[in-house]
Coordinates of all heavy atoms in Angstrom, one line a residue:
L419 N -180.6 -74.1 84.9 CA -181.1 -73.4 83.8 C -181.2 -71.9 84.1 O -181.7 -71.5 85.2 CB -182.5 -73.9 83.4 CG -182.6 -75.2 82.6 CD1 -184.0 -75.7 82.6 CD2 -182.2 -74.9 81.2
V420 N -180.7 -71.1 83.2 CA -180.8 -69.6 83.4 C -181.3 -69.0 82.2 O -181.4 -69.5 81.1 CB -179.4 -69.0 83.7 CG1 -178.8 -69.6 85.0 CG2 -178.4 -69.3 82.5
A421 N -181.8 -67.7 82.3 CA -182.3 -67.0 81.2 C -181.1 -66.5 80.3 O -180.2 -65.9 80.9 CB -183.1 -65.8 81.6
V422 N -181.2 -66.7 79.0 CA -180.1 -66.2 78.1 C -180.3 -64.7 78.1 O -181.5 -64.2 78.1 CB -180.3 -66.8 76.8 CG1 -179.3 -66.2 75.8 CG2 -180.1 -68.3 76.8
E423 N -179.3 -64.0 78.0 CA -179.4 -62.5 78.0 C -180.3 -62.0 76.9 O -180.4 -62.5 75.8 CB -178.0 -61.9 77.8 CG -177.0 -62.2 78.9 CD -175.8 -61.4 78.8 OE1 -175.7 -60.5 77.9 OE2 -174.9 -61.6 79.7
R424 N -181.1 -61.0 77.3 CA -182.1 -60.4 76.5 C -181.5 -59.9 75.2 O -180.5 -59.3 75.1 CB -182.8 -59.3 77.2 CG -184.0 -58.7 76.4 CD -184.7 -57.6 77.3 NE -185.7 -56.9 76.5 CZ -187.0 -57.4 76.4 NH1 -187.3 -58.5 77.0 NH2 -187.9 -56.7 75.7
G425 N -182.2 -60.2 74.1 CA -181.8 -59.7 72.8 C -181.1 -60.7 71.9 O -180.9 -60.5 70.8
Q426 N -180.9 -61.9 72.5 CA -180.2 -62.9 71.7 C -181.1 -63.7 70.8 O -180.7 -64.3 69.8 CB -179.4 -63.9 72.6 CG -178.3 -63.2 73.4 CD -177.4 -62.5 72.4 OE1 -176.9 -63.1 71.5 NE2 -177.2 -61.2 72.7
G427 N -182.4 -63.8 71.2 CA -183.4 -64.5 70.4 C -183.2 -66.0 70.3 O -182.4 -66.5 71.1
Q428 N -183.8 -66.6 69.4 CA -183.7 -68.1 69.2 C -182.9 -68.4 68.0 O -183.2 -67.9 66.9 CB -185.1 -68.7 69.1 CG -185.9 -68.6 70.4 CD -185.3 -69.5 71.5 OE1 -184.9 -70.6 71.2 NE2 -185.4 -69.0 72.7
R429 N -181.8 -69.1 68.2 CA -181.0 -69.6 67.0 C -181.1 -71.1 67.0 O -181.0 -71.8 68.0 CB -179.6 -69.1 67.2 CG -179.3 -67.7 66.9 CD -177.8 -67.4 66.8 NE -177.5 -66.1 66.7 CZ -176.2 -65.6 66.6 NH1 -175.2 -66.4 66.6 NH2 -176.0 -64.3 66.5
D430 N -181.1 -71.6 65.7 CA -180.9 -73.0 65.5 C -179.5 -73.4 66.1 O -178.5 -72.7 65.8 CB -181.0 -73.3 64.0 CG -181.1 -74.7 63.7 OD1 -180.4 -75.5 64.3 OD2 -181.8 -75.1 62.8
V431 N -179.5 -74.5 66.8 CA -178.2 -74.9 67.4 C -177.2 -75.3 66.3 O -176.0 -75.3 66.6 CB -178.5 -76.1 68.4 CG1 -178.9 -77.4 67.6 CG2 -177.3 -76.4 69.3
N432 N -177.7 -75.5 65.1 CA -176.8 -75.9 64.0 C -176.4 -74.7 63.2 O -175.7 -74.8 62.2 CB -177.5 -76.9 63.1 CG -177.9 -78.2 63.8 OD1 -177.1 -78.8 64.5 ND2 -179.2 -78.5 63.7
D433 N -176.8 -73.5 63.6 CA -176.4 -72.3 62.9 C -175.0 -71.9 63.4 O -174.7 -71.6 64.5 CB -177.3 -71.1 63.3 CG -177.0 -69.8 62.5 OD1 -175.9 -69.7 61.9 OD2 -177.9 -68.9 62.6
L434 N -174.0 -72.0 62.5 CA -172.6 -71.9 62.8 C -172.3 -70.5 63.3 O -171.3 -70.3 64.0 CB -171.8 -72.2 61.6 CG -170.2 -72.3 61.7 CD1 -169.9 -73.5 62.7 CD2 -169.5 -72.5 60.4
S435 N -173.0 -69.5 62.9 CA -172.7 -68.1 63.2 C -172.6 -67.8 64.7 O -171.9 -66.8 65.1 CB -173.7 -67.1 62.6 OG -175.0 -67.3 63.1
Q436 N -173.2 -68.6 65.5 CA -173.1 -68.4 67.0 C -171.9 -69.0 67.6 O -171.7 -68.8 68.8 CB -174.4 -69.0 67.6 CG -174.5 -70.5 67.5 CD -175.9 -71.0 67.9 OE1 -176.4 -70.7 68.9 NE2 -176.5 -71.7 66.9
Y437 N -171.0 -69.6 66.8 CA -169.8 -70.2 67.4 C -168.6 -69.5 66.9 O -167.6 -70.1 66.5 CB -169.7 -71.7 66.9 CG -170.9 -72.5 67.4 CD1 -171.9 -72.8 66.5 CD2 -171.1 -72.9 68.7 CE1 -173.1 -73.6 66.9 CE2 -172.2 -73.6 69.1 CZ -173.2 -73.9 68.2 OH -174.3 -74.6 68.6
A438 N -168.6 -68.2 67.0 CA -167.5 -67.3 66.5 C -166.2 -67.7 67.2 O -166.1 -68.0 68.4 CB -167.8 -65.9 66.8
G439 N -165.1 -67.8 66.4 CA -163.8 -68.1 66.9 C -163.4 -69.6 66.8 O -162.2 -69.9 66.8
Y440 N -164.4 -70.4 66.7 CA -164.0 -71.9 66.5 C -163.5 -72.1 65.1 O -163.6 -71.3 64.2 CB -165.3 -72.7 66.6 CG -165.7 -73.1 68.0 CD1 -166.7 -72.4 68.7 CD2 -165.1 -74.1 68.7 CE1 -167.0 -72.7 70.0 CE2 -165.4 -74.5 70.0 CZ -166.4 -73.8 70.6 OH -166.8 -74.1 71.9
R441 N -162.8 -73.2 64.9 CA -162.5 -73.7 63.6 C -163.5 -74.9 63.3 O -164.0 -75.5 64.2 CB -161.1 -74.3 63.5 CG -160.0 -73.3 63.4 CD -159.6 -72.7 64.7 NE -158.2 -72.1 64.7 CZ -157.7 -71.5 65.7 NH1 -158.3 -71.4 66.8 NH2 -156.5 -71.0 65.6
T442 N -163.7 -75.1 62.0 CA -164.6 -76.1 61.6 C -164.2 -76.7 60.2 O -163.5 -76.0 59.4 CB -166.1 -75.6 61.5 OG1 -167.0 -76.6 61.2 CG2 -166.2 -74.5 60.5
L443 N -164.6 -77.9 59.9 CA -164.2 -78.5 58.6 C -165.3 -78.1 57.5 O -166.4 -78.5 57.7 CB -164.1 -80.0 58.7 CG -163.5 -80.7 57.5 CD1 -162.0 -80.4 57.3 CD2 -163.8 -82.2 57.6
L444 N -164.8 -77.4 56.5 CA -165.7 -77.0 55.4 C -166.0 -78.1 54.5 O -165.1 -78.7 53.9 CB -165.1 -75.8 54.7 CG -165.9 -75.3 53.5 CD1 -167.3 -74.8 54.0 CD2 -165.1 -74.2 52.8
L445 N -167.3 -78.5 54.4 CA -167.7 -79.6 53.6 C -168.3 -79.2 52.2 O -168.0 -79.8 51.2 CB -168.8 -80.5 54.3 CG -168.5 -81.0 55.7 CD1 -169.7 -81.8 56.1 CD2 -167.2 -81.7 55.7
A446 N -169.0 -78.1 52.2 CA -169.7 -77.7 51.0 C -170.1 -76.2 51.0 O -170.2 -75.6 52.1 CB -171.0 -78.5 50.8
A447 N -170.2 -75.7 49.8 CA -170.6 -74.3 49.6 C -171.6 -74.2 48.5 O -171.5 -74.9 47.5 CB -169.4 -73.4 49.3
F448 N -172.7 -73.4 48.8 CA -173.7 -73.2 47.8 C -173.8 -71.7 47.6 O -173.8 -70.9 48.5 CB -175.1 -73.7 48.2 CG -175.1 -75.2 48.4 CD1 -174.6 -75.8 49.5 CD2 -175.5 -76.0 47.3 CE1 -174.6 -77.2 49.7 CE2 -175.5 -77.4 47.4 CZ -175.1 -78.0 48.6
D449 N -173.9 -71.2 46.3 CA -174.0 -69.8 46.0 C -175.0 -69.5 45.0 O -175.8 -70.4 44.6 CB -172.6 -69.3 45.6 CG -172.0 -70.0 44.4 OD1 -172.8 -70.4 43.5 OD2 -170.8 -70.0 44.2
R450 N -175.0 -68.3 44.5 CA -176.1 -67.8 43.6 C -176.0 -68.5 42.3 O -177.0 -68.5 41.5 CB -176.0 -66.3 43.4 CG -176.2 -65.5 44.7 CD -176.2 -64.0 44.5 NE -176.3 -63.3 45.8 CZ -177.4 -63.1 46.5 NH1 -178.6 -63.6 46.0 NH2 -177.4 -62.5 47.6
D451 N -174.9 -69.1 41.9 CA -174.8 -69.9 40.7 C -175.8 -71.1 40.8 O -176.2 -71.7 39.7 CB -173.4 -70.4 40.4 CG -172.6 -69.3 39.8 OD1 -173.1 -68.2 39.5 OD2 -171.3 -69.4 39.7
Y452 N -176.0 -71.6 42.0 CA -176.9 -72.7 42.2 C -178.4 -72.3 41.9 O -179.2 -73.0 41.3 CB -176.8 -73.2 43.6 CG -177.7 -74.4 43.8 CD1 -177.3 -75.7 43.5 CD2 -179.0 -74.2 44.4 CE1 -178.1 -76.8 43.8 CE2 -179.8 -75.3 44.6 CZ -179.4 -76.6 44.3 OH -180.2 -77.7 44.5
G453 N -178.7 -71.1 42.3 CA -180.1 -70.6 42.1 C -180.5 -69.8 43.4 O -179.8 -69.7 44.4
P454 N -181.7 -69.1 43.3 CA -182.1 -68.3 44.4 C -182.4 -69.0 45.7 O -182.4 -68.4 46.8 CB -183.4 -67.6 43.9 CG -183.9 -68.6 42.8 CD -182.6 -69.2 42.2
D455 N -182.5 -70.4 45.6 CA -182.8 -71.2 46.8 C -181.6 -71.7 47.4 O -181.6 -72.7 48.2 CB -183.7 -72.3 46.4 CG -184.4 -72.9 47.6 OD1 -184.8 -72.2 48.5 OD2 -184.6 -74.2 47.6
F456 N -180.4 -71.1 47.2 CA -179.1 -71.7 47.6 C -179.0 -71.8 49.2 O -178.4 -72.8 49.7 CB -177.9 -71.0 47.1 CG -177.6 -69.6 47.6 CD1 -176.8 -69.4 48.7 CD2 -178.2 -68.5 47.0 CE1 -176.6 -68.2 49.2 CE2 -178.0 -67.3 47.5 CZ -177.1 -67.1 48.6
R457 N -179.6 -70.9 49.9 CA -179.5 -70.9 51.3 C -180.3 -72.1 51.9 O -179.9 -72.9 52.7 CB -180.0 -69.6 51.9 CG -179.1 -68.4 51.7 CD -179.6 -67.2 52.4 NE -178.7 -66.1 52.2 CZ -178.8 -65.2 51.2 NH1 -179.8 -65.4 50.3 NH2 -177.9 -64.2 51.0
N458 N -181.6 -72.3 51.4 CA -182.4 -73.4 51.9 C -181.7 -74.7 51.4 O -181.8 -75.7 52.2 CB -183.8 -73.3 51.3 CG -184.6 -72.2 52.0 OD1 -184.4 -71.9 53.1 ND2 -185.6 -71.7 51.3
T459 N -181.1 -74.7 50.3 CA -180.5 -75.9 49.8 C -179.3 -76.3 50.7 O -179.1 -77.5 51.0 CB -179.9 -75.7 48.4 OG1 -181.0 -75.4 47.5 CG2 -179.2 -77.0 47.9
A460 N -178.6 -75.3 51.2 CA -177.5 -75.6 52.1 C -178.0 -76.3 53.4 O -177.4 -77.2 53.9 CB -176.7 -74.4 52.4

Side-chain angles (χ1 to χ4, degrees):
L419 279 165
V420 299
V422 177
E423 294 190 5
R424 184 176 176 84
Q426 295 307 306
Q428 292 292 321
R429 283 192 189 179
D430 189 319
V431 70
N432 301 308
D433 183 348
L434 189 66
S435 64
Q436 64 195 306
Y437 303 104
Y440 276 99
R441 282 83 157 178
T442 185
L443 188 70
L444 179 60
L445 306 184
F448 295 86
D449 58 28
R450 298 184 186 279
D451 282 352
Y452 180 87
D455 197 38
F456 69 93
R457 292 186 178 88
N458 289 332
T459 300

